[in-house]
Amino acid sequence: MAENQDGQEKSQEPTSKRLDDARKKGQVPRSRELNTMALTMVGVAAMMLMATRFSEGFESQFRHNLMLRREDLFDPNALLAHLVAAIQDAMIMLMPFFGVMIVVAVAASVALGGFNLSAEAMQPKFSKLDPIKGMKRVFGAKGLMELAKSLAKFLLVMLVTASVLWSWQDDIIGLAGQDIGEALVGGLRMVGWAALLISSTMILMAVIDVPFQLWQHKKELKMTQQEVRDELKQTEGRPEVKGRIRQLQREMAQRRMMQEVPKADVIVTNPTHYAVALRYDPDRMNAPVVIAKGKDLVAANIRRVGNEHQVPLIEAPVLARAVYFNSELNQPIPAQLFLAVAQLLAYVFQLRAWQEGEGEQPPMPEEFPVPEEMRHD
């Protein structure tokens, strides 16, 4: 297992924040072998496919720019014009090949680790000029792995090259007895196929290197348990601070809720454990709204504020529990409780009118019709 500078074991998988920070620093997995394999194989294959185009193009170049007229030999400007024309024609001819190679180079680079442009990685770091750190990189595990890969590539390419030359020795010797034109075409064909076969050996190196780079990248980003805990504290805050923040938020919410209690039309209670303050304005509301609710100490505070502001307190245990458990703060009551709350508000409005000297004292309803599915006995 890898260890950090303090000797702690890096046994934890990297977190998403650790991976994101690494990408911002330009630390993404990359495989040189994958890039080399893609460029060499596609480059050789593209040259073989475009061989006819190249041969015709170069033949045309030689015919028009090397077979000069007599008067061109005595004109310095004519020679310069032929050179410029030859360069332009060659660039136009080679442009498709260059385009393919650019696309392959970019695709192979981002195939492992994705596209990543890091400004921090592009900044100059003078620490990289430290010769001691440079020697550690050369003789470290990663440097030794690169040396092993280079030796393996050399031996593999040498073995494949020797095998190709040995298997084609008769064909190569046979070129000497052919016409120069046929020998040239055959020789070029053999060179192309030999280059393709030799470059295909890079597939094996890429197959080995890609998993190694992924493993190495993940290993370098592994974290100790202490690093995971520290990161959790940085991202989510310390538990005691978060608890204090939640407590303050609850206190602020309760203060705002208590400020709404004097606006209530009625407070229905359990009578001691639960209290719910309701408000209903027929001109602006489609249904009564719960503006405050609570239990135990909060319920006691709601009753106290209601008494101080002469808000009617009605003891209806079944209805109080039903509204408390089935409604949300600052939201209308459920439709199933409309009838029960309507009877409650009707009684309260009649009671208020009687207290103002209008009508007779209304009788207190014996029971409010709360549906069975809304009860919390």
Side-chain angles (χ1 to χ4, degrees):
M1 289 288 184
E3 296 181 352
N4 67 353
Q5 295 179 352
D6 298 330
Q8 297 180 357
E9 185 179 53
K10 292 186 175 183
S11 58
Q12 304 299 314
E13 296 295 323
T15 61
S16 57
K17 182 179 182 300
R18 177 90 163 194
L19 295 174
D20 292 339
D21 292 343
R23 288 191 67 86
K24 291 177 182 178
K25 296 177 181 179
Q27 298 177 3
V28 292
R30 295 287 189 235
S31 174
R32 295 179 182 175
E33 311 307 328
L34 181 62
N35 297 352
T36 304
M37 182 269 292
L39 287 171
T40 53
M41 290 197 64
V42 174
V44 173
M47 292 184 67
M48 293 179 65
L49 292 174
M50 299 180 184
T52 303
R53 172 186 173 89
F54 290 161
S55 61
E56 293 177 353
F58 284 121
E59 182 182 356
S60 176
Q61 290 282 332
F62 295 153
R63 183 179 299 112
H64 291 90
N65 295 307
L66 295 182
M67 297 177 62
L68 303 177
R69 296 174 300 176
R70 178 180 175 81
E71 54 270 21
D72 291 338
L73 297 176
F74 301 97
D75 186 0
N77 295 327
L79 295 176
L80 180 60
H82 277 286
L83 177 61
V84 172
I87 294 174
Q88 291 177 345
D89 293 342
M91 292 300 296
I92 294 174
M93 180 183 62
L94 296 173
M95 194 172 295
F97 175 77
F98 290 152
V100 170
M101 297 305 295
I102 291 174
V103 171
V104 172
V106 174
S109 298
V110 303
L112 190 65
F115 181 78
N116 184 47
L117 185 61
S118 173
E120 185 174 348
M122 293 186 291
Q123 294 178 357
K125 295 182 179 179
F126 294 102
S127 60
K128 294 182 178 180
L129 301 178
D130 189 345
I132 298 177
K133 292 183 178 179
M135 294 295 290
K136 289 182 179 179
R137 286 195 297 267
V138 172
F139 294 101
K142 197 169 184 179
L144 294 176
M145 181 62 185
E146 293 297 328
L147 177 61
K149 287 193 300 183
S150 299
L151 292 176
K153 282 191 293 185
F154 172 76
L155 294 175
L156 187 59
V157 171
M158 183 179 67
L159 179 62
V160 174
T161 303
S163 300
V164 170
L165 293 176
W166 180 263
S167 61
W168 288 1
Q169 60 178 333
D170 294 336
D171 296 329
I172 296 174
I173 296 174
L175 293 176
Q178 296 179 6
D179 180 72
I180 187 170
E182 295 178 356
L184 182 60
V185 173
L188 291 175
R189 185 179 296 111
M190 283 196 300
V191 169
W193 282 108
L196 187 61
L197 289 173
I198 294 172
S199 62
S200 64
T201 59
M202 298 303 300
I203 297 176
L204 179 60
M205 298 303 301
V207 169
I208 297 174
D209 186 60
V210 168
F212 172 77
Q213 295 298 333
L214 293 173
W215 173 82
Q216 181 73 17
H217 177 70
K218 191 174 182 179
K219 178 184 175 183
E220 291 176 352
L221 295 181
K222 276 193 171 183
M223 308 170 67
T224 65
Q225 293 183 351
Q226 184 61 41
E227 289 174 338
V228 173
R229 288 193 291 267
D230 293 342
E231 183 180 292
L232 186 63
K233 290 180 181 179
Q234 292 176 0
T235 55
E236 298 185 3
R238 301 178 65 86
E240 56 270 21
V241 175
K242 292 173 61 179
R244 179 58 178 165
I245 291 175
R246 285 195 295 266
Q247 180 183 356
L248 293 174
Q249 290 174 341
R250 286 194 298 268
E251 293 176 356
M252 293 174 62
Q254 289 182 8
R255 283 197 295 269
R256 288 195 299 267
M257 184 177 68
M258 292 302 173
Q259 292 173 359
E260 297 296 319
V261 172
K263 303 177 184 178
D265 292 312
V266 63
I267 297 175
V268 57
T269 65
N270 189 38
T272 57
H273 294 294
Y274 298 94
V276 180
L278 300 173
R279 185 167 184 266
Y280 179 56
D281 186 350
D283 297 331
R284 296 188 300 173
M285 300 178 183
N286 295 325
V289 174
V290 178
I291 61 174
K293 69 173 186 175
K295 66 178 182 178
D296 299 332
L297 182 59
V298 179
N301 288 332
I302 292 175
R303 293 195 303 271
R304 177 183 57 79
V305 175
N307 283 325
E308 292 175 355
H309 294 84
Q310 299 181 351
V311 178
L313 272 69
I314 306 298
E315 293 184 8
V318 177
L319 180 59
R321 289 193 296 268
V323 177
Y324 179 86
F325 286 106
N326 296 287
S327 62
E328 298 293 335
L329 194 63
N330 298 321
Q331 296 295 324
I333 62 172
Q336 297 92 324
L337 297 176
F338 280 1
L339 180 58
V341 174
Q343 291 186 8
L344 173 67
L345 291 174
Y347 168 73
V348 171
F349 292 153
Q350 292 174 6
L351 183 64
R352 184 182 300 167
W354 171 73
Q355 292 173 347
E356 294 175 356
E358 299 179 3
E360 300 179 356
Q361 181 178 4
M364 174 69 179
E366 296 182 358
E367 186 177 357
F368 296 97
V370 176
E372 290 294 333
E373 65 272 14
M374 306 294 287
R375 290 174 176 264
H376 285 263
D377 297 333

